[in-house]
Structures are given as structure tokens and as C-alpha cells.
Amino acid sequence: MPTAALLGAEVQCGDLRVLDDAGVAALRAAWLDNLVIVVRDQTLSDPELMAFGRRLGELDSAPLASTGNEKARAHDEVIVVSNVMEDGKPIGVLRDAEVVWHSDNSYRDVPLSFSALYALEVPPTGGNTGFANMYRALELLPPDLRRRIDELTIKHDMTYNSVGDLREGFKPVTDVRQAPGPSHPIVRTHVETGHNALYLGRRPNAYIGDLPVDESEKILDALWAHATESQLTWHHRWRAGDLLIWDNRCVMHHREPFDAGARRVMHRIQGKGDQPVRRLDANSLPHPRSASASRDNA
Ligand code: OGA
Ligand code: MN
């Protein structure tokens, strides 16, 4: 069931532990078509979560997720996203803070394809996760800005995570031109769907290569204001047992903060992606989900 927004769908496929191959293929197709999908009422141990994830694609261990303070991971491929403390140490990353709009692991040469977040405990309010459609963001970009950024790249800073925590082994950034991280094209062709999308990563310490810093900041501010407009977004309200799977190549996500006294425990797995590229033979039609939404709104 697609949502009323420009992305997102609930997939009803029963228990993921016993889903057959045709079911996995249908779920994967729904994910590419809707950019983010939710499957509800699941009961998954970490090994079951990993086993299901491997049916979507090769898993990645996202090596830079840690800030160095958390408990060691029980499985390399499973990242705990939580505010819960045990023995004086956080059991996971991202605390209870607002998580700024971002695409996972854009600061690596080869970012992730999917991320899948499985909810074990959710707070009574707050902590919703929002998603924004970057195919549509590109399609709706004002023509002047679209032309201006067409051939440009963004350097994606590795230093901080999406709640602003310094990653293990990095020094604070004082000049965006010096921030460590790979450069990726701003217009990215999705290798599975063939459609172009806007690829922005994270706003803090981003830099558009070789431009004067003022000019880079001005263009980035305009891109970000546009790409996070509410018409492009859909927000998921969590229930325990939800598995949410999103496509980092064509969506950004954001989390609302939540009450520090409430517990939120999520287990995340993630799929190995591909190096972002711009292809000249990209599909010039709108992505189908964007096209159907614009038809419905006409
Ligand atoms: C993540 C993330 C948001 C959330 O796990 O990559 O951004 O809702 N999480 O916890
Ligand atoms: Mn994230």
C-alpha cells in the first residue's frame, strides 16, 4: 500500500523469516518503486535480521558508525541505534537527539545501497523518522539552479555523525575545504532504476569542490532548502516490530528528537552499495512514483 506522499509504502508479506523467493523479489521491487518500505509485526533475532538482509543484497558493516564510546557490536553487520545506557555506556549510536537530514555513509567512497532499521522498543511519542524523495527533488529544482549544479561535485565530510558527534579518530573541522571525505556527483544516476536523483549527503561541512567557500555555501543552502521541503517528505511513526528499509541512493532521512527518559532500541543492517556516478544514458522520464504523484496532484 503506497502512502499518500511522494514515497513510502507498507508491504504486507507475513513473517519475513519464512518468505519465499518470489516474496523477496516482490518486496525488493516494491522497495525500488517506493524508495522506502515498512513491513510491520516482525519478530527477528539479529541472525534472522542478517539472514533476511542478505536476501536483499550483500551486507556492509559500515565501519565508521561508531564514536568509540559505545559497547562493542555483537555482530559486525548490526549497528545498535539507541539512547539506552548499560553499565554507564551507551549501547548504541545517535542518542535521543534530532538526526539531521542525511543519506547513510555518503562520506565513504562506496556508500550504502539500503539501510534497514528494525524497531525493538519505541518511545510513546517523538522519534519519528522522515524521508525525502531525491528523484523528485531533482525534477523540481528551479532550472537555473539545476543548470548550475549539473556538473558539480560535493565533498562529503567524514568527521561527524548525523547528531553531530565526532567519529572515533577524527579532529574537529575548522575549514570545510580541509574536511576529510570523498567527492561525489550532485546529480547521481541510480544504477538499478536508471533514474537521476539529487545526492546531497549531509549539510554540515559539505563543500562544492574548488568554488570559493561563500559560493559553495550559497548553492548548498539553496539545494538543502529545496530538498527538505515538506512536499517531498513522508514521516514514519514507529511501532515495535516494524522493519523499515530505505534506499540511500534516492532518499534522505531525518529523525525527530524524543524524550530522554523514554527507551528507543533499533537494530540496523545495511547493504553494500556502489560508487556514486552520473550516467549520460540515465532515464530521462520521471521516476514512476514521482510521475504518479504529480498526476494525482494535477
Ligand atoms: C540511521 C538513522 C534514524 C532513526 O539508523 O541511519 O539515521 O530513526 N536512524 O533512528
Ligand atoms: Mn541514517
Side-chain angles (χ1 to χ4, degrees), residues 19-266:
L19 190 63
D20 62 15
D21 289 346
V24 172
L27 180 140
R28 207 172 182 291
W31 167 66
L32 289 173
D33 288 349
N34 295 287
L35 293 58
V36 40
I37 56 172
V38 54
V39 194
R40 307 202 99 143
D41 303 320
Q42 300 299 309
T43 313
L44 300 167
S45 65
D46 282 349
E48 287 164 346
L49 180 62
M50 291 188 288
F52 171 70
R54 288 196 184 98
R55 299 181 73 194
L56 298 178
E58 189 183 344
L59 296 185
D60 188 299
S61 61
L64 292 180
S66 148
T67 62
N69 300 321
E70 309 82 21
K71 295 186 98 165
R73 294 186 198 174
H75 303 273
D76 274 355
E77 295 92 344
V78 178
I79 295 173
V80 176
V81 175
S82 184
N83 64 325
V84 171
M85 307 280 285
E86 270 174 20
D87 307 327
K89 270 186 164 232
I91 62 168
V93 291
L94 304 183
R95 303 180 274 121
D96 50 28
E98 176 180 357
V99 175
V100 298
W101 284 103
H102 69 284
S103 172
D104 287 335
N105 285 206
S106 69
Y107 49 83
R108 290 168 63 199
D109 289 337
V110 180
L112 304 172
S113 52
F114 69 85
S115 299
L117 201 55
Y118 175 58
L120 290 144
E121 293 182 60
V122 302
T125 58
N128 297 337
T129 308
F131 295 87
N133 182 333
M134 292 299 106
Y135 293 125
R136 193 71 183 138
L138 181 66
E139 288 160 20
L140 293 179
L141 210 56
D144 286 358
L145 188 54
R146 175 75 182 80
R147 272 194 299 277
R148 180 72 183 95
I149 57 127
D150 195 56
E151 301 283 317
L152 299 180
T153 61
I154 292 177
K155 180 158 63 74
H156 295 246
D157 174 46
M158 303 167 98
T159 311
Y160 302 94
N161 72 11
S162 45
V163 289
D165 292 337
L166 194 65
R167 292 183 201 284
E168 201 172 8
F170 287 87
K171 289 204 268 314
V173 174
T174 51
D175 179 345
V176 292
R177 290 168 300 186
Q178 307 301 327
S183 291
H184 297 307
I186 299 181
V187 178
R188 175 180 188 180
T189 310
H190 191 297
V191 293
E192 292 192 80
T193 67
H195 292 276
N196 282 336
L198 202 56
Y199 191 62
L200 301 182
R202 278 176 179 71
R203 179 65 186 89
N205 301 308
Y207 174 58
I208 300 183
D210 299 335
L211 293 187
V213 173
D214 302 2
E215 203 179 333
S216 164
E217 291 287 311
K218 218 169 97 195
I219 298 173
L220 288 170
D221 285 344
L223 287 172
W224 278 90
H226 168 78
T228 56
E229 271 177 23
S230 60
Q231 59 156 336
L232 297 170
T233 70
W234 166 70
H235 285 76
H236 178 63
R237 190 188 289 253
W238 291 93
R239 287 197 325 226
D242 288 351
L243 179 69
L244 205 73
I245 308 169
W246 64 88
D247 190 336
N248 289 297
R249 300 165 293 187
C250 56
V251 303
M252 292 203 294
H253 57 285
H254 165 269
R255 182 186 77 195
E256 295 167 2
F258 57 96
D259 178 0
R263 289 169 63 97
R264 190 176 188 269
V265 182
M266 309 271 181

